[in-house]
């Protein structure tokens, strides 16, 4: 299992945008589609502290949040270090 997980649905533009950034960074991530899987959706809600929107992103078991928070990390110059930590683990 990858140290980066993104809970998503197929029709979500924010999920697509988040995955596009991770792809651009060369990050190896596990995509977990919660659209038709109630068990994985419950898992996402539990791991994210009650958040029900997608995407929900975890890097090295740290809850990052959604697409907006992922891009905020990028803008702050903090995303690369988090991704490197996850890839090294």
């Amino acid at each position: 299992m990858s140290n980066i997980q993104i809970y998503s649905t197929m029709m979500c533009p924010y999920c697509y945008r988040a995955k596009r950034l991770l792809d651009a960074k060369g990050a190896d991530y596990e995509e977990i589609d919660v659209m038709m899987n109630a068990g994985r959706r419950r898992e996402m809600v539990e791991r994210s502290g009650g958040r029900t929107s997608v995407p929900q992103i975890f890097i090295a078991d740290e809850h990052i949040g959604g697409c907006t928070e992922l891009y905020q990390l990028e803008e702050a110059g903090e995303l690369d270090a988090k991704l490197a930590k996850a890839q090294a683990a």
Side-chain angles (χ1 to χ4, degrees):
M1 180 165 94
S2 174
N3 285 323
I4 302 169
Q5 295 89 35
I6 179 168
Y7 291 86
S8 66
T9 62
M10 289 176 32
M11 304 303 282
C12 169
Y14 298 102
C15 298
Y16 173 79
R17 189 167 180 243
K19 291 183 292 185
R20 192 172 67 198
L21 176 57
L22 292 172
D23 288 340
K25 295 287 185 177
D28 178 31
Y29 59 89
E30 175 187 10
E31 182 176 6
I32 303 166
D33 188 342
V34 298
M35 185 173 223
M36 302 297 285
N37 190 327
R40 295 308 294 254
R41 185 172 285 276
R42 279 191 300 277
E43 174 186 292
M44 176 192 80
V45 171
E46 288 175 20
R47 285 186 77 193
S48 66
R51 294 186 183 179
T52 58
S53 62
V54 289
Q56 292 300 317
I57 303 160
F58 293 82
I59 300 175
D61 288 323
E62 176 186 351
H63 182 232
I64 300 304
C67 182
T68 300
E69 291 82 6
L70 185 68
Y71 273 83
Q72 286 173 341
L73 284 174
E74 173 67 0
E75 291 170 8
E78 299 172 12
L79 182 57
D80 289 338
K82 288 186 183 297
L83 293 174
K85 178 183 171 186
Q87 300 294 348

